[in-house]
Amino acid sequence: MKVLVLHGPNLNLLGSRETHIYGAVTLDGINRNLDALAKELGAGLTIHQSNDEGDLVAWIQKAAGQYDALVINPGAYTHTSIALRDAIAAVDIPTVEVHLSNLYRREEFRQHSYIAGVAVGQISGFGPESYALGLRAAVSHVRAQQATAKK
Ligand code: DQA
């Protein structure tokens, strides 16, 4: 079981960026927690961050046939990027969309996600824990699919 985690734009600034919304935990802190959780769950993990939409599209394209699941916080591209949505739809890898903040308690423009329609589901509002919940959800979704396929 191999899971790809992608962090989108400005998430490299976690820990100093709008801490009243996103909290004080850095991206390194989140990634360390994810690494520990992945070990516990028996999953292999690769993690990337980019501020560039093209990098994210390229990583998603390369994930085809390489990863069993994708956990992605697309940051602001959530609300703008048909290219990211199309990439996820193209590779057909089960995808969990995660957000630190609860999008539905925020500005109206954050309440639409281009990604949600091609994701298995979305986790939003639990701070850094959203990522841990997302990883757990991705792993259990894939394991359930694998168990069904064996029957
Ligand atoms: C975010 C929410 C987005 O609206 C915002 O642009 C981000 C972070 C979140 O994790 O809460 O950059 O994806």
Side-chain angles (χ1 to χ4, degrees):
M1 161 90 60
K2 282 169 70 187
V3 182
L4 177 64
V5 175
L6 295 180
H7 304 286
N10 298 309
L11 295 168
N12 54 315
L13 300 181
L14 287 177
S16 61
R17 168 194 187 202
E18 297 181 281
T19 51
H20 58 291
I21 298 173
Y22 298 117
V25 180
T26 62
L27 192 61
D28 274 353
I30 288 173
N31 290 343
R32 277 197 299 274
N33 277 348
L34 286 175
D35 276 331
L37 178 59
K39 281 202 185 89
E40 198 183 295
L41 297 173
L45 206 62
T46 304
I47 305 177
H48 298 299
Q49 187 275 331
S50 180
N51 297 323
D52 183 327
E53 188 177 15
D55 287 344
L56 296 165
V57 168
W59 283 321
I60 293 166
Q61 288 185 4
K62 276 193 221 138
Q66 304 295 315
Y67 291 93
D68 301 294
L70 170 66
V71 175
I72 183 166
N73 183 348
Y77 292 140
T78 306
H79 320 298
T80 62
S81 181
I82 299 171
L84 274 185
R85 180 195 175 103
D86 285 352
I88 292 168
V91 297
D92 201 24
I93 296 172
T95 295
V96 178
E97 177 186 350
V98 302
H99 299 281
L100 297 141
S101 62
N102 179 349
L103 300 182
Y104 306 97
R105 293 183 66 159
R106 301 189 62 195
E107 302 95 323
E108 212 176 315
F109 67 85
R110 295 187 201 276
Q111 295 180 19
H112 175 259
S113 165
Y114 279 106
I115 309 306
V118 291
V120 176
Q122 185 195 63
I123 295 166
S124 171
F126 296 95
E129 185 64 14
S130 288
Y131 283 97
L133 293 167
L135 179 58
R136 284 184 189 280
V139 169
S140 69
H141 175 80
V142 172
R143 292 209 167 123
Q145 272 190 330
Q146 288 170 344
T148 312
K150 273 191 199 142
K151 278 183 193 156

